[in-house]
């Protein structure tokens, strides 16, 4: 479904700050895989998601989705295939626009001229139904400006926008890290609900090792721009956090930098 083949990405090439962020990384996702991504700071997790989304061109290697090569497509041409949610609740929605204006942008994504038409009653009904599923009371606040919402509400709205038109691939970069624990759990629950319901293929970066093992069906660990562990099936079902840290140390030959890591 997603195929990342030996992707190399070097930042600041030829300078003292040269950094190989992705070191011929390869990764294959099956349809409906929900893969959690863990690793120390600077391991290349965000860079991998950025490479897939097309934030920059990679130095070498190939990326394809359902057999469609996307390696050389600009980001806006990948946007029909890929949806993303970032850590910052402010980044996914337009604050000065209303909830329904934000939703209509997501709903009409890739539909060109229809963008300028007014929002119709059918679209409003759909938005109410979808917002109701979030369980946050937003269905009664369609014409509220998004700037009035809390971080958790905004992140839930961003998630809804990311999945309103089913993407082929959903990329989540620590999308609950900026939320308080209770709100984070709620947004994670919504994430699981929508990925299951829409049978999405998902990559989710998290610093919470418990979440990494609890959510999804597969966990990969990155280190120095490569995938060093790929855990699924029975091995994953029986995995504990301490065992995971042990495996990391064995595979990487170093201690995991756990500064930002939530261990339980
Ligand atoms: N735009 C950039 N320019 C220069 N260096 C970059 C850029 N983006 C990332 N890097 C470097 O590439 C490496 C990988 O960064 P990346 O952001 O992918 O790490 P990460 O695994 O997401 O870490 P974290 O857990 O801290 O978010 C780091 O050394 C980082 O400093
Ligand atoms: Mg990151």
């Amino acid at each position: 479904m997603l195929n990342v083949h030996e992707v190399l990405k070097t930042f600041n090439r030829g300078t003292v700050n040269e950094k190989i962020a992705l070191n011929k990384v390869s990764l294959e996702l099956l349809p409906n895989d929900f893969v959690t991504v863990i690793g120390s700071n600077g391991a290349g997790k965000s860079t991998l998601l950025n490479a897939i989304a097309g934030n920059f061109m990679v130095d070498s290697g190939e990326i394809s989705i359902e057999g469609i090569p996307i390696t050389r497509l600009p980001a806006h041409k990948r946007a029909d295939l890929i949806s993303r949610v970032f850590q910052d609740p402010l980044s996914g929605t337009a604050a000065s626009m209303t909830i329904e204006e934000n939703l209509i942008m997501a709903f009409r994504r890739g539909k060109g001229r229809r963008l300028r038409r007014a929002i119709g009653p059918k679209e409003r009904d759909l938005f109410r139904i979808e917002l109701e599923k979030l369980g946050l009371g937003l269905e009664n606040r369609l014409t509220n400006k998004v700037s009035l919402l809390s971080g958790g509400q905004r992140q839930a709205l961003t998630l809804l926008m990311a999945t309103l038109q089913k993407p082929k691939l959903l990329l989540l970069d620590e999308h609950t890290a900026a939320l308080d624990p209770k709100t984070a759990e709620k947004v994670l629950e919504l994430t699981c609900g929508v990925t299951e319901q829409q049978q999405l293929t998902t990559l989710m970066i998290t610093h919470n090792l418990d979440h990494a093992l609890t959510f999804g069906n597969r966990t990969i660990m990155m280190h120095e721009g490569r995938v060093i562990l790929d855990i699924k099936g029975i091995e994953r079902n029986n995995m504990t956090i301490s065992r995971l840290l042990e495996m990391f140390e064995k595979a990487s030959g170093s201690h995991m930098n756990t500064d930002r890591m939530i261990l339980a």
Side-chain angles (χ1 to χ4, degrees), residues 11-12 19 21 39-48 173-174 205 207 260:
F11 288 113
N12 305 315
K19 172 79 202 173
S40 313
N41 299 130
K45 303 180 296 295
S46 296
T47 306
L48 174 64
D173 192 344
E174 298 191 54
I205 302 176
H207 273 99
R260 279 181 64 220

Side-chain angles (χ1 to χ4, degrees), residues 123-136:
E123 289 167 327
R124 268 198 191 99
D125 285 346
L126 173 78
F127 296 166
R128 280 200 195 91
I129 290 166
E130 292 300 323
L131 286 166
E132 206 173 346
K133 290 185 195 161
L134 302 181
L136 299 169

Side-chain angles (χ1 to χ4, degrees), residues 7-9 22 51-52 56-63 71-72:
V7 164
L8 182 72
K9 177 65 192 176
L22 296 177
I52 295 167
F56 48 73
M57 291 298 130
V58 300
D59 305 339
S60 61
E62 300 296 329
I63 307 172
T71 323
R72 273 159 282 278

Side-chain angles (χ1 to χ4, degrees), residues 164-208:
L164 207 49
Q165 295 285 1
K166 179 180 172 180
K168 295 210 180 293
L169 183 66
L170 178 63
L171 302 176
L172 308 169
D173 192 344
E174 298 191 54
H175 71 308
T176 61
L179 307 175
D180 65 79
K182 205 166 147 243
T183 313
E185 291 292 337
K186 171 83 190 160
V187 172
L188 272 171
E189 231 173 76
L190 292 170
T191 307
C192 283
V194 72
T195 51
E196 229 159 79
Q197 195 191 336
Q198 294 194 17
Q199 306 251 300
L200 297 177
T201 307
T202 307
L203 268 174
M204 178 175 91
I205 302 176
T206 176
H207 273 99
N208 185 315

